[in-house]
């Protein structure tokens, strides 16, 4: 994008796990927090080239893995109780805003 010289956009898909402590999510949370930091630095460095850099940090997203990992009501209910909409995100709810200009 820098070489092309006409700007652009980069969107990182992070997670709210980078912002809030979740039991048994040490590595996942650490890698998503690192992604957030990379995104901030890239925004700083690439802004001068008219390249926008942002991140989305959704809650649990119901990918195949998300469905598998969060299908147990004993695990999912405490998390769902903290979400104002009372539901996990569908893939389209995360992807559609990212790909819409």
């Amino acid at each position: 994008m820098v070489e092309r010289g006409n700007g652009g956009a980069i969107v990182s898909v992070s997670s709210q796990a980078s912002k809030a402590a979740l039991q048994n999510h040490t590595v996942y949370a650490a890698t998503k927090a690192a992604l957030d930091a990379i995104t901030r630095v890239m925004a700083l460095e690439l802004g001068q080239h008219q390249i926008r850099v942002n991140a989305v940090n959704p809650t649990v997203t119901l990918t195949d893995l998300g469905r598998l990992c969060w299908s147990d009501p004993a695990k999912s209910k405490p998390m769902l109780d903290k979400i104002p909409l009372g539901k996990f995100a569908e893939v389209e709810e995360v992807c559609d805003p990212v790909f819409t200009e």
Side-chain angles (χ1 to χ4, degrees):
M1 286 184 204
V2 172
E3 289 176 8
R4 227 179 36 223
N6 61 350
I10 298 169
V11 180
S12 304
V13 180
S14 187
S15 169
Q16 70 170 310
S18 72
K19 310 283 185 199
L22 299 173
Q23 189 72 31
N24 300 316
H25 280 69
T26 303
V27 173
Y28 184 77
T31 58
K32 291 300 187 174
L35 180 60
D36 287 354
I38 291 166
T39 301
R40 286 191 303 273
V41 173
M42 288 176 63
L44 179 66
E45 293 177 350
L46 297 175
Q48 64 185 321
H49 301 286
Q50 301 304 304
I51 299 171
R52 224 175 44 250
V53 185
N54 294 291
V56 293
N57 294 65
T59 184
V60 173
T61 303
L62 294 175
T63 61
D64 291 342
L65 182 60
R67 289 182 196 285
L68 178 67
C69 292
W70 292 91
S71 62
D72 179 2
K75 180 179 178 181
S76 63
K77 184 174 181 342
M79 178 68 87
L80 288 167
D81 288 344
K82 295 177 185 178
I83 299 172
L85 291 176
K87 67 181 194 76
F88 293 137
E90 294 293 338
V91 172
E92 296 78 21
E93 294 171 318
V94 176
C95 293
D96 287 353
V98 170
F99 292 114
T100 302
E101 286 192 40

